[in-house]
Amino acid sequence: MPRRRYLSIIGILLILLFLTALYGISAGAVSIPFIEVWRSLKALFIQDIQNTNGTILFTLRLPRVLLAMAVGASLSVAGAGFQGFFRNPLADPYVIGASSGAALGAALAIVLTLPSFGPVSSTSLCAFIGALLATFMAFALSRFAGDPPPAVALLLAGTALSAFFSALLSLILVIKDRDMHRVYYWLLGGLGMSSWSELVTAVPVMIIGASLVYLASRPLDILIQGDDVAHSLGIDVRRLRFLVAAGASLAAAAAVASAGIIGFVGLIAPHGMRIIVGPGHRRLLPAAALGGALLVLVADILARTIAAPLELPIGIITSIIGAPFFITLLLKRGRNLGT
């Protein structure tokens, strides 16, 4: 694809994301006109938001919109990284058990009423730790199947760990049935608890994880052709796999810790952008990040407006969109799962 055409696509995605973000700031149980949104945005620079709409915008809507974009971008980059890493079109951050690990960590923090650590809530911190542990446990278990670990081994390890963590979570809910609605939030995914402190603590971790994956973009293009080809060109395959696994896991874990379980984003956005910009990861990853940010932002707007004032979990919206996509992808490429 010519560079000018690629930059045009990125520009279009940025414009769509900006316009959708403006609509996301204005939409909700309390609708705020665009002119008021614009006035409040200008007031941000003169620190004059002493009105109801300004409070809603800067305390509730703006951090939620920004976090939605960050979560979508992180999940998409993680999905693209895992798909290139394992040469598996069905690879996704949640396949390896990160979502179940995060939900278990959040549930433990809630039922044990752990104290917050400065601006970081114990729920978010424990969910983040649970997601990271689950990811690296799945990766470690899959290595027993060979070196490098085949895609099938990773899928089986992730499925087993997800079942184990889900069983532990169910046990916790049976024994400690208080605050079940908060645990339920983590199971279905949502941005209702978004805040500026959440942005400050989560976004830097997402950026670090996504950056690690992007640093490996060119070697990933070679790795897709096979390990032998990568070795012949002087690429340290083990180091590359560790870099991609660490970056993708970190990005996915931070997203899960911030918004709970939002599935299929790591499949839909990378595959959609791969059709538009091609398979090269250097161009695919930025496009997938923008596409994922747009996808989660749209899902969040739908979740807030479809049944307003009732707010639906974002995970329901993405699952309704993603399940048919996953089935179609499985039917078309399922035979290549073990390659």
Side-chain angles (χ1 to χ4, degrees):
M1 174 184 292
R3 179 180 176 83
R4 180 174 297 181
R5 182 182 176 186
Y6 173 75
L7 293 177
S8 298
I9 293 173
I10 295 297
I12 292 173
L13 289 173
L14 286 172
I15 293 173
L16 288 175
L17 189 60
F18 176 75
L19 294 177
T20 306
L22 284 181
Y23 180 75
I25 295 174
S26 67
V30 178
S31 180
I32 301 176
F34 278 106
I35 185 64
E36 184 64 27
V37 172
W38 179 250
R39 289 173 180 172
S40 296
L41 288 175
K42 290 196 301 182
L44 174 64
F45 297 99
I46 60 175
Q47 298 180 348
D48 180 23
I49 56 172
Q50 302 301 320
N51 58 73
T52 302
N53 287 341
T55 302
I56 293 175
L57 288 175
F58 294 107
T59 304
L60 302 176
R61 299 275 177 84
L62 188 56
R64 178 168 185 154
V65 165
L66 294 176
L67 188 60
M69 292 189 293
V71 167
S74 296
L75 293 176
S76 298
V77 170
F82 279 125
Q83 289 157 20
F85 175 43
F86 295 107
R87 300 193 297 273
N88 178 5
L90 301 181
D92 179 82
Y94 299 98
V95 172
I96 56 180
S99 57
S100 297
L104 178 61
L108 287 173
I110 291 171
V111 300
L112 295 177
T113 60
L114 297 178
S116 299
F117 299 87
V120 184
S121 68
S122 59
T123 304
S124 298
L125 180 61
C126 290
F128 176 71
I129 294 174
L132 277 182
L133 287 177
T135 298
F136 284 107
M137 285 175 65
F139 184 75
L141 288 173
S142 66
R143 291 185 66 87
F144 286 102
D147 187 15
V152 172
L154 183 72
L155 297 179
L156 293 176
T159 300
L161 286 174
S162 294
F164 178 69
F165 291 142
S166 296
L168 291 180
L169 178 59
S170 299
L171 180 62
I172 291 173
L173 293 179
V174 170
I175 296 175
K176 297 282 190 178
D177 59 352
R178 61 183 178 180
D179 290 328
M180 285 188 63
H181 65 284
R182 294 180 63 189
V183 179
Y184 196 61
Y185 161 82
W186 285 97
L187 294 177
L188 296 181
L191 294 164
M193 300 173 66
S194 303
S195 64
W196 289 109
S197 62
E198 189 74 36
L199 274 170
V200 172
T201 56
V203 171
V205 179
M206 297 179 188
I207 293 175
I208 293 173
S211 298
L212 290 176
V213 177
Y214 185 76
L215 287 175
S217 55
R218 289 191 182 276
L220 269 178
D221 293 337
I222 301 175
L223 187 64
I224 291 179
Q225 303 176 37
D227 290 357
D228 293 337
V229 175
H231 279 300
S232 65
L233 294 176
I235 295 177
D236 189 334
V237 175
R238 288 190 177 184
R239 181 178 298 179
L240 173 62
R241 288 183 181 277
F242 178 80
L243 178 65
V244 176
S249 299
L250 199 60
V256 174
S258 301
I261 303 173
I262 302 178
F264 296 106
V265 176
L267 283 174
I268 299 174
H271 281 286
M273 291 299 105
R274 193 175 284 112
I275 295 174
I276 298 175
V277 303
H281 287 85
R282 193 171 183 83
R283 292 186 172 184
L284 172 63
L285 291 174
L290 293 175
L294 185 61
L295 174 60
V296 173
L297 186 56
V298 170
D300 180 53
I301 293 173
L302 292 175
R304 287 190 279 129
T305 57
I306 287 180
L310 178 65
E311 183 175 316
L312 301 176
I314 298 178
I316 293 178
I317 305 296
T318 58
S319 294
I320 291 175
I321 299 173
F325 180 88
F326 179 82
I327 293 173
T328 302
L329 189 65
L330 180 64
L331 293 176
K332 288 183 176 181
R333 304 187 179 184
R335 295 180 180 179
N336 298 323
L337 185 60
T339 59

